[in-house]
Amino acid sequence: MARPGRKVRRTSGGIKQSPWRQPVNPYPPLDILSADELEQIHLASLSLLENYGMRILHEGARHLLEAAGADVDHATNMVRFDRGLVMEKLSLAPAEFTLHARNPAKNFKLGGNHLAFTSVGGPAYCNDLDRGRRRGSFEDACDYIRLVQSLDIIHQEGGGPFEPIELPPETRHLDLYQAQIRLLDKNWQPIALGGERAQDAINMVRIALGFSEETLLEKPALFAIINTNSPLQLDIPMAEGLIAMASAGQAVCITPFTLAGAMAPVTLAGTLTQQNAEALAGITLTQVVRPGAPVVYGAFTSNVDMRSGSPCFGTPEYAKAAQASGQLARRYGIPMRSSNVTSSNTVDAQSTYESGMSLWAAITGHANIIVHAAGWLEGGLTASFEKLIVDAEMLQMMAEYLRPIEVNDETLAIDAILEAGAGGHFFGVAHTMSRFEDAFYQPFLSDSRNFENWQEGGSLNTQDRANRIWKQLLREYEQPPLDPAIDEELTTYIAKRKEGTL
């Protein structure tokens, strides 16, 4: 029988993992801006929205905002937001909500001190040690999704690991959604680029969960990324996706893509002001569409290399922006998104230290969801099979770090200290023997053997071991059961959509 509070480790496919759970961040957030500095950025953002505004290219979105009280110039597509309107709508957004999964045990919360991790989503390419960098196939994408299902530290699939290039672009999202539903019992991200893709996700997730439209309104299951076109513009496809998702009560994450020095000012204060203005405009629109719709403050500010113009990720600037964004999100009482990112082109030391910087910034900034938390490579152009495993190990370590130190009579271990005695050791004392199996975090990727034993084992580096692990997880993957009637209904829906009869 397990002791109260004991960490019971699950073995999946022979790979020891920490069991499924949602971490809670027990530590106070790191506030790198003073209260006065935070207020300056807030007020500057409101002034920018009030006096200059945001270009909204979608006519329907402009009319919605105009009816709500915004000042709209339809000739230029510019919308100016009165600060009172912005603050009124911000107050309607929920501070916390739950995202629902096909397996209710894998629902998770966003907001407060809750934290969730997603896999990488959206790159153009995939990469592994055996086949190198390539345009991924649908079967490659399905294998990646199978790995996401197999890794308990990942709470949400990130919206398709990469584009399956052989499928027709106008309908490939339907095949992706079906794969996400069939191969996962976890929560998954849709593609919100345009109204049709968003509405298909809404219809299909409702079928998969057996929800009515009314139930889905109350129990959101989709989390969609809505990117602004920085600086200060929202395009038609993203606006369509936002409106469809918010109308259905699904969560949207408003994420400006503000690269300091390129699409935003070269100073972090200026970039944060612009990011905040764009985020507040998008959040305001969600609450105009449906008051109380779940929404997340998306932070993705980084910088460019001023020598080449290339985006940089996992930099000190990225870290500071993530922490400051957490302060802004908390000021508005809205859950916050950050990311695990790197500019590295391969799974090497650079990819790890940049990811480490990103993760520490997200966690100390009290992000509620870390998007692209596992698998991101090459500035987001590539989903790596090996990086997925490396990141999963890092995420497990972070989640274990978030467990508070347990202090009580038993853990203070005075009896054990006395049993070992002065000059003794603790290997054989009763306190150690009853706990040694789960006393400390047990990695599934790291190798702690001495040099001689490591050499005798083949001198495998981290990439080599990650390559072996993802192949083993694939061999022993078990597809979660899906009601045949639901599967048939989804297949019929997809067929009708492809035929154009629905």
Side-chain angles (χ1 to χ4, degrees):
M1 182 175 177
R3 299 188 309 276
R6 180 180 178 182
K7 297 172 291 179
V8 179
R9 303 192 72 86
R10 186 180 75 84
T11 300
S12 171
I15 305 297
K16 286 187 176 180
Q17 298 188 57
S18 299
W20 167 278
R21 68 179 180 90
Q22 184 176 9
V24 173
N25 192 339
Y27 309 123
L30 182 60
D31 291 342
I32 66 169
L33 297 172
S34 70
D36 287 345
E37 290 167 338
L38 186 68
E39 196 66 9
Q40 285 183 68
I41 291 172
H42 163 69
L43 292 174
S45 303
L46 292 179
S47 178
L48 190 59
L49 287 176
E50 200 168 50
N51 296 313
Y52 180 79
M54 181 106 166
R55 179 177 288 126
I56 310 288
L57 299 182
H58 187 271
E59 183 179 3
R62 293 197 304 274
H63 283 297
L64 286 169
L65 290 165
E66 188 173 36
D71 181 12
V72 178
D73 183 341
H74 291 283
T76 61
N77 301 325
M78 292 300 295
V79 178
R80 289 189 292 274
F81 296 77
D82 178 82
R83 64 186 61 202
L85 172 66
V86 172
M87 297 311 294
E88 174 198 341
K89 297 306 178 185
L90 283 173
S91 70
L92 302 175
E96 185 175 301
F97 57 89
T98 297
L99 284 173
H100 294 78
R102 191 154 68 80
N103 178 354
K106 295 181 179 178
N107 296 348
F108 63 88
K109 293 181 179 180
L110 287 184
N113 291 329
H114 299 286
L115 176 61
F117 304 127
T118 91
S119 58
V120 65
Y125 302 96
C126 67
N127 196 333
D128 63 57
L129 278 181
D130 304 284
R131 293 164 289 179
R133 182 183 190 264
R134 62 195 183 280
R135 296 304 299 258
S137 67
F138 181 63
E139 187 53 38
D140 286 329
C142 288
D143 278 346
Y144 212 91
I145 293 171
R146 292 181 181 103
L147 291 172
V148 171
Q149 170 67 15
S150 301
L151 291 164
D152 284 339
I153 194 61
I154 298 176
H155 304 96
Q156 183 188 72
E157 195 280 330
F162 37 80
E163 288 290 318
I165 197 66
E166 81 275 21
L167 299 182
E170 64 274 11
T171 60
R172 67 174 61 137
H173 68 282
L174 297 168
D175 300 291
L176 171 64
Y177 295 162
Q178 186 174 40
Q180 289 168 313
I181 292 167
R182 281 177 168 172
L183 302 177
L184 299 162
D185 63 2
K186 299 180 178 183
N187 189 267
W188 51 274
Q189 282 187 31
I191 299 168
L193 189 66
E196 282 193 357
R197 291 183 178 92
Q199 192 59 52
D200 282 329
I202 292 165
N203 294 340
M204 290 178 69
V205 80
R206 189 175 59 78
I207 294 169
L209 298 178
F211 284 0
S212 66
E213 290 183 15
E214 293 73 20
T215 301
L216 191 61
L217 279 170
E218 301 301 321
K219 295 184 175 181
L222 297 173
F223 171 92
I225 304 295
I226 302 296
N227 293 122
T228 57
N229 307 111
S230 303
L232 299 172
Q233 181 169 284
L234 180 65
D235 67 22
I236 292 173
M238 287 277 88
E240 287 180 352
L242 182 156
I243 292 169
M245 287 291 168
S247 297
Q250 303 308 288
V252 295
C253 177
I254 309 297
T255 307
F257 187 28
T258 38
L259 288 176
M263 291 107 76
V266 75
T267 57
L268 275 185
T271 293
L272 287 166
T273 297
Q274 182 187 311
Q275 172 196 277
N276 198 52
E278 294 178 16
L280 295 187
I283 293 166
T284 299
L285 178 56
T286 67
Q287 301 309 302
V288 168
V289 171
R290 181 176 175 79
V295 66
V296 172
Y297 185 110
F300 201 73
T301 285
S302 194
N303 60 286
V304 296
D305 182 340
M306 297 306 291
R307 296 166 299 181
S308 67
S310 298
C312 298
F313 297 104
T315 62
E317 291 77 18
Y318 182 91
K320 287 187 283 187
Q323 291 162 334
S325 297
Q327 288 183 254
L328 288 162
R330 288 192 296 279
R331 190 199 186 286
Y332 306 126
I334 295 173
M336 196 267 277
R337 163 259 169 112
S338 191
S339 297
N340 171 15
V341 287
T342 175
S343 303
S344 181
N345 296 310
T346 187
V347 185
D348 60 0
Q350 178 186 338
S351 73
T352 308
Y353 62 69
E354 289 179 346
S355 283
M357 187 76 130
S358 302
L359 286 174
W360 272 116
I363 288 171
T364 57
H366 264 232
N368 298 110
I369 185 165
I370 301 180
V371 177
H372 308 302
W376 167 294
L377 200 63
E378 201 185 330
L381 287 175
T382 293
S384 162
F385 282 75
E386 285 78 27
K387 185 67 159 45
L388 180 69
I389 302 302
V390 173
D391 286 334
E393 178 82 281
M394 293 178 69
L395 296 176
Q396 282 199 166
M397 294 174 73
M398 292 292 183
E400 188 63 26
Y401 167 77
L402 293 176
R403 287 183 183 272
I405 296 174
E406 188 179 355
V407 180
N408 55 43
D409 288 345
E410 192 176 358
T411 61
L412 288 169
I414 296 298
D415 289 342
I417 295 170
L418 295 176
E419 183 181 346
H425 65 77
F426 289 83
F427 285 116
V429 303
H431 188 268
T432 302
M433 296 303 293
S434 65
R435 289 166 176 75
F436 75 93
E437 288 186 324
D438 60 3
F440 309 120
Y441 171 74
Q442 297 177 31
F444 67 82
L445 175 63
S446 300
D447 189 337
S448 301
R449 295 176 297 174
N450 64 29
F451 180 84
E452 289 75 18
N453 288 331
W454 170 76
Q455 191 175 50
E456 288 177 10
S459 305
L460 300 180
N461 63 27
T462 301
Q463 264 205 99
D464 296 327
R465 295 193 300 274
N467 180 268
R468 288 188 174 189
I469 288 171
W470 71 254
K471 289 176 181 175
Q472 183 176 346
L473 288 173
L474 273 187
R475 286 194 302 269
E476 301 185 3
Y477 163 84
E478 294 182 7
Q479 186 167 321
L482 177 64
D483 185 325
I486 290 176
D487 196 35
E488 183 178 353
E489 187 175 355
L490 287 166
T491 300
T492 301
Y493 177 89
I494 291 170
K496 289 182 178 179
R497 284 284 290 112
K498 289 183 176 180
E499 292 166 0
T501 58
L502 187 65

